[in-house]
Amino acid sequence: MSHNEDVLTAQSDQPKKLSIAEQFARRKQGQAPSQLNSQRVPIYGDKATATIETKPLTWRLAHHDAILDLATYQSLRGFEGLKTALEKAPKEVGDMIKAANVRGRGGAGFNAGLKWTFMTPPDGGPRYLICNADEMEPGTFKDRLLMERLPFQLIEGMLITAHAIGATDGYIFIRGEYILAAERLMAAIDECLANNLMGDNILGSEFSFNLHVHTGAGRYICGEETALINCLEGRRANPRTKPPFPQVSGAWGRPTVVNNVETLSNMPAIMINDVEWYQSLPNEKGNSTTPGTKIFGCSGLVNDPGLWELPFGYTAREIIEDFAGGMKDGKRLKAWLPGGASTDFLTTEHLDVAMDFDSIQKAGSRMGTGLIMVVDESQDMVPLLKNLEIFFQRESCGFCTPCRDGLPWGVKLLTAIDDGQGQQGDVEKLEGLTRDLWLGKTFCAHAPGAMEPLMSALKYFRHEFDSKIVVPAIEVDAETSQWAESEIKKVMSSMGSGSPAASSNSSADTGSNVNSDTTAGAEAGHKTLTSNPSDVK
Amino acid sequence: MKIVTDKAPTVDVASILTAQEIEGIHEYIHHYPHARAASLDALKLVQKRNGWVNDAQVNAIANLLDVPVTDIEGVATFFNRIYRSPVGRHVILVCDSIACYLTGYEELAAELKTTLGIEFGQTTADGRFTLLPICCLGNCDKGPSVLIDEDTFGPVSPSEVAELLEYYP
């Protein structure tokens, strides 16, 4: 256990890049292998504000770099929330969370307590709680922090939730690449088992609950609620039809709730501080109606990428400039994704929109996971979109045709355009894909998620796609060449007379595409077939 | 031999899997109400021995869990990190998602390919490394990132590649 008294270093401090040797040594010591700026992530600002009331998710990290043993966690009000919850009836706990309006932190933002109410009534059979820890959305790395450094907080959140929904068994479905997080969670569960905080009659109550860690093996689709359940059952991770919803028929056909890591990690503080406190949290900024705090983050082309727990309502400008150290290399911001690869791009005009579910939606995107991805002016949007769509193509489960065939088609078009082989109409085909792979036309939200960045890139940066489209050269014989040359002279002559309209009419009269190009080329000075007649063969 | 698709051909599991592997799979089975749920765990456990899973091992797992062999095969081929053909002693997974793309993935991938003399999907002639792409490693504040065996590194610059590889003989 390391104690970092200087955890709150100044904002101006730039992160120290760990050498490969340091990273390797950390991993072998069982630490996070590449904790770049661990000295001030995620506590930001005055140390005095890092209390359970102001930073309910991360305040303990102001005292320790990571809380990895039960005694330390308990010394920092650990399991107080569970004790409070166990003194209440399950319905009372559920009603509290519903009233608090804890919005799901996995991306959808649905009221977690309301989601719990859809569970069918207990019938004596098993009921499941699953923690969705399959964090694979490109640009998202917040759950990793909560699991690697605060594993007991997540477990306590799951125990409170399990009590509320009557779950008998739970699973933490964690992506296979989060090896350190899985190790630490398993160790924490074992310690809970040994201390009557897991298993039968927890803390002497009638509540019993068993928890297991289930690791994946690298598929993005496992983060989809029903695909996750299929994977848990040992099947291919294809999504299932809804309805029935998992709360009615989930894992092994039994009532099941699936919640995100960050959502569940909120529960202990709500039990300790109550609902009114949770709802008052956004008042700090006064521009958001979403209660609670959120682990916001920033990555991409900024000076100091990282994570910060903040109330809803901070703007992207504040997060990028004040917390993430501003734009890298002094370049100008071009576009940003509000919360992962499957959200719509926003631009500079949206920088002052409050970061919350409703405000970002009004701006034309989704808050998603709330981790901003910054793109600067030097980036060409076509290869950038190609990268994004290759990801979605590769990670499609292939279950439904629009996704299986549509995403590779999109990649093919983007690759052609990026390689200078794009044909006229290709950008329109991409636009068509954004309609054909939209919600309601595919089995799950994977393909629509892939279309969000593409659709918004075409909306804001369409000219970048159009400018790469090459019109094929036209072979022209000598007779046509002479005719074209004379036409050019006419056009140039008419332009010289100050009558552009005449030139347009001249082109239109011929009814020829060649002449349409003639006018445009001559006006723009482009090197086209007829702008330089000597090129004509 | 008659091809059976709905039931694994009966095999002597003990001759294919080690006693420790069989015991480990049984431990996983206890975590779930149905044995099938241990299929991915079982594949990952068996894969630890040689770095990949062969046909006989897939068959043995199907026998052990009493599920159709095609179902185990379906799981084995679905997941990015279950390998159905031989890989090198160390597998290098290079994150090529948007955060790493923006922060230097292409230069890093090019350096890895040049240093190792292989393309993505290939294994070095000495069987030391296999190079594969992977989607987001959740290390986005430290891009570009790689995962070698069970160790995440980032940021990794092209000039650090040679040093990084030395840790994996």
Side-chain angles (χ1 to χ4, degrees):
Chain A
M1 188 65 55
S2 61
H3 293 249
N4 292 310
E5 291 306 317
D6 60 340
V7 68
L8 301 172
T9 52
Q11 173 198 346
S12 58
D13 281 0
Q14 292 301 302
K16 175 180 173 290
K17 182 187 181 309
L18 296 180
S19 70
I20 295 297
E22 286 170 319
Q23 292 184 39
F24 189 78
R26 286 183 68 94
R27 176 63 184 127
K28 294 307 153 194
Q29 290 162 11
Q31 299 179 44
S34 51
Q35 205 66 58
L36 174 62
N37 39 4
S38 62
Q39 293 304 300
R40 66 177 200 77
V41 173
I43 307 296
Y44 183 86
D46 185 355
K47 185 176 181 179
T49 66
T51 65
I52 192 168
E53 286 78 25
T54 58
K55 310 275 183 189
L57 291 168
T58 59
W59 70 280
R60 293 180 177 93
L61 298 179
H63 302 273
H64 300 278
D65 182 53
I67 313 294
L68 301 180
D69 65 280
L70 184 57
T72 306
Y73 183 67
Q74 284 176 319
S75 73
L76 294 163
R77 308 193 70 176
F79 290 103
E80 272 185 33
L82 175 64
K83 286 172 189 160
T84 308
L86 290 179
E87 288 164 6
K88 300 177 190 293
K91 187 177 182 308
E92 196 180 344
V93 176
D95 288 345
M96 277 179 71
I97 301 305
K98 184 180 165 188
N101 190 16
V102 182
R103 301 189 63 170
R105 307 293 203 256
F110 193 75
N111 182 324
L114 186 59
K115 190 177 191 178
W116 299 354
T117 64
F118 301 149
M119 286 283 271
T120 51
D123 59 1
R127 296 154 71 83
Y128 298 104
L129 169 64
I130 301 175
C131 169
N132 186 343
D134 192 70
E135 186 173 60
M136 291 182 83
E137 175 92 359
T140 305
F141 50 103
K142 65 184 173 64
D143 293 343
R144 178 179 211 147
L145 170 110
L146 291 171
M147 291 186 287
E148 285 185 354
R149 297 167 73 177
L150 291 158
F152 288 100
Q153 180 171 264
L154 171 60
I155 291 168
E156 186 183 357
M158 288 192 76
L159 287 165
I160 293 165
T161 305
H163 171 60
I165 64 173
T168 50
D169 294 87
Y171 295 92
I172 301 175
F173 187 105
I174 184 168
R175 61 174 301 184
E177 294 74 25
Y178 278 7
I179 297 155
L180 184 70
E183 288 170 0
R184 289 181 169 178
L185 281 165
M186 285 190 269
I189 290 171
D190 284 345
E191 208 172 348
C192 287
L193 269 170
N195 288 277
N196 191 219
L197 287 160
M198 194 74 71
D200 295 335
N201 302 108
I202 293 168
L203 296 176
S205 70
E206 292 182 0
F207 170 56
S208 300
F209 184 66
N210 291 298
L211 183 60
H212 302 285
V213 172
H214 180 96
T215 58
R219 281 308 291 261
Y220 171 70
I221 195 67
C222 291
E224 201 277 338
E225 191 176 45
T226 57
L228 183 151
I229 291 172
N230 262 336
C231 183
L232 179 67
E233 291 185 3
R235 303 171 193 276
R236 288 169 63 95
N238 294 330
R240 294 178 179 176
T241 312
K242 289 193 282 193
F245 287 90
Q247 295 92 325
V248 176
S249 177
W252 299 286
R254 298 293 307 165
T256 303
V257 158
V258 182
N259 282 144
N260 172 262
V261 171
E262 190 184 353
T263 313
L264 292 163
S265 296
N266 269 289
M267 303 308 164
I270 296 173
M271 285 297 118
I272 291 172
N273 294 324
D274 222 332
V275 176
E276 290 71 28
W277 156 81
Y278 189 77
Q279 289 178 326
S280 72
L281 276 165
N283 293 342
E284 180 184 324
K285 296 293 290 183
N287 62 348
S288 170
T289 53
T290 307
T293 60
K294 171 90 188 68
I295 297 187
F296 288 102
C298 192
S299 63
L301 300 166
V302 290
N303 281 319
D304 193 4
L307 299 167
W308 305 277
E309 184 183 2
L310 303 166
F312 286 95
Y314 275 81
T315 66
R317 186 189 301 280
E318 287 169 313
I319 292 171
I320 295 168
E321 287 186 354
D322 300 342
F323 303 157
M327 297 297 292
K328 202 171 184 179
D329 302 327
K331 290 198 172 73
R332 292 166 64 86
L333 183 140
K334 179 176 184 175
W336 54 287
L337 293 165
S342 66
T343 57
D344 298 75
F345 280 103
L346 293 174
T347 66
T348 48
E349 67 180 286
H350 307 109
L351 279 173
D352 296 313
V353 174
M355 284 291 286
D356 67 40
F357 294 100
D358 300 331
S359 303
I360 294 292
Q361 190 167 13
K362 277 181 200 158
S365 186
R366 289 187 303 116
M367 200 185 74
T369 53
L371 278 81
I372 296 168
M373 171 70 60
V374 175
V375 177
D376 74 22
E377 60 189 340
S378 68
Q379 297 299 312
D380 182 339
M381 294 305 278
V382 177
L384 191 83
L385 264 294
K386 185 175 82 171
N387 171 276
L388 282 166
E389 297 306 325
I390 286 173
F391 161 76
F392 286 108
Q393 169 206 252
R394 198 171 64 198
E395 290 303 315
S396 169
C397 75
F399 187 61
C400 70
T401 308
C403 190
R404 182 181 62 242
D405 288 354
L407 292 176
W409 190 14
V411 169
K412 196 175 173 185
L413 289 166
L414 286 162
T415 304
I417 296 169
D418 189 39
D419 290 347
Q421 303 294 317
Q423 305 289 310
Q424 279 192 333
D426 280 359
V427 180
E428 288 74 15
K429 284 178 189 165
L430 285 173
E431 284 181 324
L433 277 178
T434 66
R435 291 187 292 272
D436 294 338
L437 299 186
W438 195 238
L439 290 167
K441 296 176 180 173
T442 60
F443 195 76
C444 78
H446 180 86
M451 292 301 104
E452 286 192 44
L454 178 60
M455 196 159 47
S456 50
L458 289 170
K459 177 179 171 187
Y460 296 116
F461 307 103
R462 165 85 190 229
H463 57 282
E464 292 190 28
F465 294 77
D466 285 337
S467 68
K468 289 200 168 194
I469 299 294
V470 176
V471 179
I474 301 169
E475 291 291 330
V476 185
D477 58 29
E479 190 180 337
T480 310
S481 169
Q482 287 175 357
W483 166 82
E485 200 169 337
S486 70
E487 285 293 303
I488 282 180
K489 286 177 182 171
K490 283 185 200 171
V491 171
M492 298 303 284
S493 165
S494 65
M495 287 173 70
S497 67
S499 175
S503 70
S504 297
N505 289 337
S506 170
S507 309
D509 286 346
T510 64
S512 157
N513 286 336
V514 173
N515 271 302
S516 297
D517 289 340
T518 299
T519 311
E523 283 181 345
H526 291 164
K527 186 183 178 186
T528 62
L529 169 66
T530 49
S531 63
N532 183 355
S534 64
D535 285 345
V536 179
K537 294 172 184 173
Chain B
M1 188 180 84
K2 186 183 174 188
I3 297 172
V4 180
T5 55
D6 60 348
K7 183 78 177 172
T10 304
V11 294
D12 179 12
V13 173
S15 69
I16 298 168
L17 304 181
T18 67
Q20 289 86 352
E21 286 168 347
I22 293 169
E23 187 186 339
I25 292 169
H26 277 298
E27 273 183 33
Y28 282 125
I29 291 172
H30 291 315
H31 292 181
Y32 310 102
H34 296 287
R36 174 195 289 269
S39 62
L40 185 55
D41 291 322
L43 286 162
K44 288 166 74 173
L45 181 68
V46 169
Q47 181 167 274
K48 281 185 181 170
R49 196 190 330 170
N50 294 316
W52 67 290
V53 187
N54 64 33
D55 292 348
Q57 289 169 323
V58 167
N59 240 331
I61 291 170
N63 271 261
L64 200 58
L65 303 181
D66 195 25
V67 294
V69 68
T70 44
D71 285 13
I72 299 297
E73 183 68 53
V75 171
T77 53
F78 187 84
F79 291 94
N80 295 331
R81 293 181 63 230
I82 300 295
Y83 308 123
R84 286 289 276 118
S85 56
V87 292
R89 287 198 300 282
H90 307 289
V91 177
I92 304 174
L93 298 167
V94 190
C95 177
D96 61 5
S97 296
I98 183 74
C100 290
Y101 168 84
L102 285 168
T103 50
Y105 152 77
E106 287 179 330
E107 293 79 7
L108 176 60
E111 181 63 33
L112 279 162
K113 288 180 192 175
T114 304
T115 305
L116 297 171
I118 54 174
E119 293 294 317
F120 278 119
Q122 296 180 340
T123 300
T124 52
D126 61 2
R128 187 173 159 205
F129 291 111
T130 295
L131 188 65
L132 294 170
I134 184 94
C135 58
C136 191
L137 288 171
N139 209 37
C140 313
D141 53 336
K142 306 173 197 79
S145 292
V146 297
L147 178 70
I148 304 182
D149 299 341
E150 298 197 334
D151 308 328
T152 311
F153 294 94
V156 179
S157 61
S159 63
E160 293 173 315
V161 164
E163 181 196 351
L164 179 62
L165 298 180
E166 280 176 21
Y167 286 108
Y168 298 89

